[in-house]
Amino acid sequence: MILSELLYIAQKKGLLRPLDFHFARMISGEEAPLLMLAAAFLSRNTGEGHTCLPLEQLRPEALFSSAHQDLAQMIWRSVGAPKDVKGALLTYSSVSDGQLVAPLVLEKERLYLYRMWRREVEVAKFIQSKNFLLDIDEQKARKILDYHFGQNVCNWQKTAVAVALIRQIAIISGGPGTGKTTTVAKFLASIIELSPKIQRIKVASPTGKSALKLSETLGKTLQILKATNRILSSFPREAVTLHRLLDIAPGSQYVRFCADRPLCLDVLVIDEASMIDLSMMSNLITALPDHARVLLLGDRDQLSSVEAGSVFSDLCHYADNCYSLPQAKQLFRLTGCQVVIRSENKTNLIGDMTCLLTQSYRFKKSSGIGQLALAVNSGQVQRTERILNGAFPDVCRIAIRCKEDYQKLLEVCSKGYSIYLRLLHAGAKPAEVLTAFRCCQVLCALNNGLFGVIELNKHIENMLHKVRLITQSSSVTHQWYIGRPVMIMRNNQEMRLFNGDVGIAMKDDQNQIKVWFLSSEGSVTAVQTQFMPLHDTAFAMTIHKSQGSEFEHTILVLPNEMTPVLTRQLVYTAITRAQKKLTIYAQKTIFERAVRTDVSRQSGLRDRILH
């Protein structure tokens, strides 16, 4: 049997996508079976979020799981079981070492799509080019830092701001409640005071929802800062999405701001940077003016971007809160804080740009949510069991074994959403209703299936109709009903609605149903239903879509069967969405397997930035 027939069998078994199969046949014919095989699995890897295919994965044991080893062995024999895979691939004109433009690039035992290789090179060169200390007025900077943090205070927030002041690019990672937004606010205040010229500052985030949250928290933090008139005049009040920042047209690859038309800014702060894929990061750095300062902020342990790449995680890989001798001395002069000096024989190009915030101010030691997040993040399965076995009142796990259990899940969801619906029926203002909706949120790992977004949205609607919190026409004859929550699924810049924005259907003064959204300034806007961009009902949403948001009560629903998406990073991300209460609906074995599944995306960026 020839290779294309075997790959077609793999596609029918769901081991490859149709795209992978057709891409492989486009790259190569039957006369070059090894190239066809490499192209198919490179395409599969890219679809799974990896930026490359390590050549070590081009062996029969690594092609498929143990359940499909017979097919893997047949495929391997059909390509001739080559011993020198790298040498054989480089003989094809479709593969280059990067010196010439070709569809595929093979470099350092990794095979790339050319566009992915080029973007990875661009990001690495950008990081390397910014690896130097800036010349600042240290005496003035020390006074500013002591003013905002206290003269005798030593903590990682103060150190993080100092790192950002002396580096053109700084990277700060921290878990939930470690004070990332406070750190950003104090950095912005410090850079405004330290700079002799007025600074043009932009603050951005990957999604509309995360941008809204950032705007709100920065506004609240500004109110408690000891802000001078100079700070107040330059401090940014609104965060924008990355698409809006770069002026990327919806559904288009066209990016208005680029190397020939750079962004008009001096300082750029990007929150939730773990959600940025390789292509978006490449677009960002290309559009930056040479002098711009950049601060990347996020949680390195959260889910990576939906598209290919794990840029923020890669950049934080070498972060250890140890610094070179010259920088350690400068940080001490600026903050009065002693930091660990990195060993002279330890090469770490990017370590001096980074800072890890390690102290959580949101979760005390008595918080089960905080303890569970730590245990999951470190893969401590037994510790997660002790936490979930009733030791903490703010977390619990419930297994769904029968229809009655599923019904109880729906009742819990109904009770959680009754808060905003009762406010709505009582005549509360749209802003109050929208704020109350954030009290509860159902998060799912999957879109499909009984435990997925689509089915849960339908069943929750039916339950709310049953208890008369939504009208009968809602789930039977009418798409729109009073109280329907929806999430925007595609950016619409003209309407200033962005992927991830959540609105609620409510009546206006003319008794017309419109969808109301809360802006970053706290004001509300209404959109007629017939003009709504692509959207979905949002009683339940995927964990990916929830990134950048927090909810008082998070209800996490996992499927009763293990799937590839159930990973430690997914569970950790879901847990850290909860502020006060976390209810997990999952089988014990499924939850434990997810915690044990630590997935790292394949990338060459970590190595590339060191050389």
Side-chain angles (χ1 to χ4, degrees):
M1 196 176 292
I2 61 176
L3 178 61
S4 61
E5 294 173 339
L6 293 170
L7 293 181
Y8 183 73
I9 292 172
Q11 177 200 317
K12 288 300 182 182
K13 289 179 177 290
L15 303 173
L16 293 172
R17 301 172 300 167
L19 174 63
D20 306 328
F21 175 72
H22 291 295
F23 176 75
R25 295 190 67 187
M26 180 186 73
I27 290 292
S28 171
E30 298 294 347
E31 70 280 359
L34 179 61
L35 178 58
M36 182 187 291
L37 176 67
F41 282 84
L42 173 59
S43 176
R44 186 184 74 168
N45 259 27
T46 304
E48 292 175 349
H50 307 288
T51 59
C52 62
L53 173 69
L55 291 189
E56 63 185 19
Q57 292 185 5
L58 279 179
R59 51 188 177 85
E61 298 82 7
L63 296 180
F64 306 124
S65 65
S66 57
H68 302 283
Q69 275 304 298
D70 288 345
L71 178 59
Q73 292 294 339
M74 292 174 65
I75 288 174
W76 194 243
R77 287 194 295 270
S78 74
V79 301
K83 293 184 178 180
D84 183 11
V85 173
K86 183 177 182 180
L89 286 175
L90 285 173
T91 63
Y92 299 115
S93 60
S94 298
V95 183
S96 82
D97 59 1
Q99 300 299 315
L100 299 173
V101 177
L104 308 180
V105 173
L106 180 52
E107 183 187 46
K108 295 182 179 178
E109 307 300 319
R110 297 185 183 96
L111 185 66
Y112 294 85
L113 296 174
Y114 177 80
R115 60 184 174 84
M116 287 296 177
W117 173 81
R118 178 175 56 81
R119 286 167 177 164
E120 188 176 280
V121 169
E122 289 172 350
V123 172
K125 286 184 176 179
F126 173 76
I127 296 297
Q128 292 170 335
S129 69
K130 306 299 180 183
N131 186 40
F132 55 85
L133 289 168
L134 297 175
D135 185 21
I136 66 169
D137 186 335
E138 290 189 8
Q139 189 174 13
K140 185 177 181 180
R142 175 64 186 263
K143 289 181 179 179
I144 292 170
L145 290 171
D146 285 346
Y147 176 76
H148 289 295
F149 289 96
Q151 189 169 359
N152 299 313
V153 174
C154 283
N155 59 38
W156 284 114
Q157 289 185 14
K158 190 175 186 180
T159 301
V161 173
V163 169
L165 290 178
I166 62 177
R167 289 279 170 180
Q168 193 167 357
I169 178 170
I171 303 157
I172 300 175
S173 176
T178 52
K180 294 189 292 291
T181 306
T182 300
T183 302
V184 167
K186 291 185 177 181
F187 161 71
L188 292 175
S190 300
I191 199 68
I192 291 169
E193 292 180 294
L194 188 62
S195 303
K197 297 180 180 179
I198 295 176
Q199 297 294 290
R200 298 170 298 173
I201 301 172
K202 292 288 185 181
V203 182
S205 194
T207 68
K209 187 161 48 176
S210 58
L212 173 62
K213 177 194 165 190
L214 180 59
S215 299
E216 291 174 345
T217 50
L218 279 177
K220 292 176 181 177
T221 306
L222 180 60
Q223 293 176 4
I224 60 176
L225 279 181
K226 296 176 285 186
T228 62
N229 289 333
R230 182 181 175 87
I231 294 173
L232 292 173
S233 63
S234 299
F235 198 92
R237 290 340 194 249
E238 181 185 16
V240 299
T241 64
L242 296 179
H243 281 79
R244 183 177 165 196
L245 176 73
L246 295 174
D247 199 0
I248 301 176
S252 169
Q253 296 296 317
Y254 173 73
V255 183
R256 182 186 178 196
F257 290 102
C258 54
D260 296 330
R261 186 185 290 163
L263 293 162
C264 297
L265 55 80
D266 302 304
V267 180
L268 175 62
V269 175
I270 302 177
D271 193 22
E272 298 291 348
S274 64
M275 299 168 66
I276 303 177
D277 59 72
L278 181 62
S279 296
M280 178 61 80
M281 185 62 77
S282 175
N283 287 335
L284 275 169
I285 63 176
T286 301
L288 286 172
D290 289 338
H291 70 280
R293 290 174 175 265
V294 181
L295 174 59
L296 299 176
L297 202 74
D299 184 347
R300 64 177 180 176
D301 298 312
Q302 278 191 21
L303 283 168
S304 295
S305 57
V306 175
E307 301 298 328
S310 53
V311 180
F312 189 75
S313 177
D314 289 340
L315 296 181
C316 292
H317 179 71
Y318 300 104
D320 55 5
N321 281 351
C322 298
Y323 298 94
S324 63
L325 181 60
Q327 181 155 324
K329 289 182 177 180
Q330 187 173 22
L331 290 175
F332 178 72
R333 294 194 299 270
L334 292 172
T335 66
C337 305
Q338 295 279 3
V339 295
V340 177
I341 299 173
R342 186 179 304 112
S343 172
E344 290 184 4
N345 60 4
K346 183 178 179 182
T347 302
N348 189 344
L349 173 71
I350 197 174
D352 282 355
M353 299 179 180
T354 64
C355 187
L356 303 177
L357 303 180
T358 55
Q359 181 180 348
S360 177
Y361 298 92
R362 183 200 303 173
F363 300 126
K364 299 179 181 178
K365 290 184 178 180
S366 59
S367 166
I369 298 172
Q371 293 297 316
L372 185 63
L374 290 172
V376 167
N377 194 28
S378 55
Q380 300 179 44
V381 174
Q382 292 183 347
R383 186 180 171 197
T384 66
E385 285 306 303
R386 290 194 296 269
I387 295 169
L388 291 169
N389 283 337
F392 296 89
D394 57 340
V395 294
C396 68
R397 186 185 61 215
I398 303 168
I400 299 179
R401 300 185 179 90
C402 58
K403 289 183 179 180
E404 288 74 16
D405 292 337
Y406 194 83
Q407 185 66 22
K408 289 179 181 178
L409 160 64
L410 298 178
E411 291 171 0
V412 170
C413 297
S414 175
K415 183 179 179 180
Y417 289 125
S418 68
I419 298 172
Y420 89 92
L421 287 169
R422 294 189 190 282
L423 275 174
L424 174 58
H425 295 316
K429 294 182 178 180
E432 188 178 355
V433 175
L434 286 161
T435 301
F437 179 75
R438 301 178 188 175
C439 291
C440 177
Q441 184 62 58
V442 179
L443 302 182
C444 305
L446 305 172
N447 271 308
N448 300 311
L450 188 61
F451 304 97
V453 168
I454 297 172
E455 284 295 310
L456 274 170
N457 269 323
K458 182 176 69 176
H459 288 302
I460 292 170
E461 278 185 329
N462 290 335
M463 175 62 70
L464 291 171
H465 160 63
K466 183 179 178 180
V467 297
R468 298 184 178 181
L469 285 172
I470 59 177
T471 59
Q472 183 175 357
S473 62
S474 61
S475 57
V476 181
T477 62
H478 199 91
Q479 180 187 17
W480 290 105
Y481 55 88
I482 305 302
R484 182 191 177 200
V486 294
M487 173 181 283
I488 300 299
M489 308 302 289
R490 184 180 297 162
N491 294 335
N492 187 309
Q493 289 187 328
E494 292 79 11
M495 302 179 72
R496 296 193 67 181
L497 293 176
F498 300 95
N499 188 5
D501 287 355
V502 174
I504 297 176
M506 293 177 268
K507 287 187 176 181
D508 62 11
D509 294 338
Q510 284 74 44
N511 209 34
Q512 297 293 316
I513 293 182
K514 293 182 179 179
V515 185
W516 300 73
F517 294 87
L518 193 63
S519 74
S520 57
E521 299 89 1
S523 60
V524 292
T525 56
V527 179
Q528 294 183 12
T529 56
Q530 62 266 36
F531 297 132
M532 279 286 291
L534 183 66
H535 59 274
D536 279 333
T537 302
F539 287 117
M541 66 176 67
T542 62
I543 297 168
H544 275 92
K545 287 290 185 181
S546 73
Q547 286 185 273
S549 298
E550 294 171 354
F551 315 98
E552 287 189 17
H553 181 195
T554 296
I555 301 172
L556 171 61
V557 183
L558 300 183
N560 274 3
E561 294 181 356
M562 192 65 185
T563 70
V565 301
L566 292 181
T567 65
R568 180 184 304 173
Q569 289 77 14
L570 187 87
V571 174
Y572 171 80
T573 301
I575 292 170
T576 54
R577 300 310 93 206
Q579 293 177 313
K580 297 181 180 179
K581 186 177 180 181
L582 173 67
T583 306
I584 301 173
Y585 286 88
Q587 300 283 6
K588 178 177 180 290
T589 54
I590 297 298
F591 185 83
E592 290 180 351
R593 287 182 65 184
V595 173
R596 288 193 179 99
T597 306
D598 184 18
V599 175
S600 177
R601 288 188 171 178
Q602 302 295 338
S603 163
L605 184 59
R606 296 179 184 179
D607 295 337
R608 200 179 296 278
I609 57 179
L610 291 182
H611 303 99

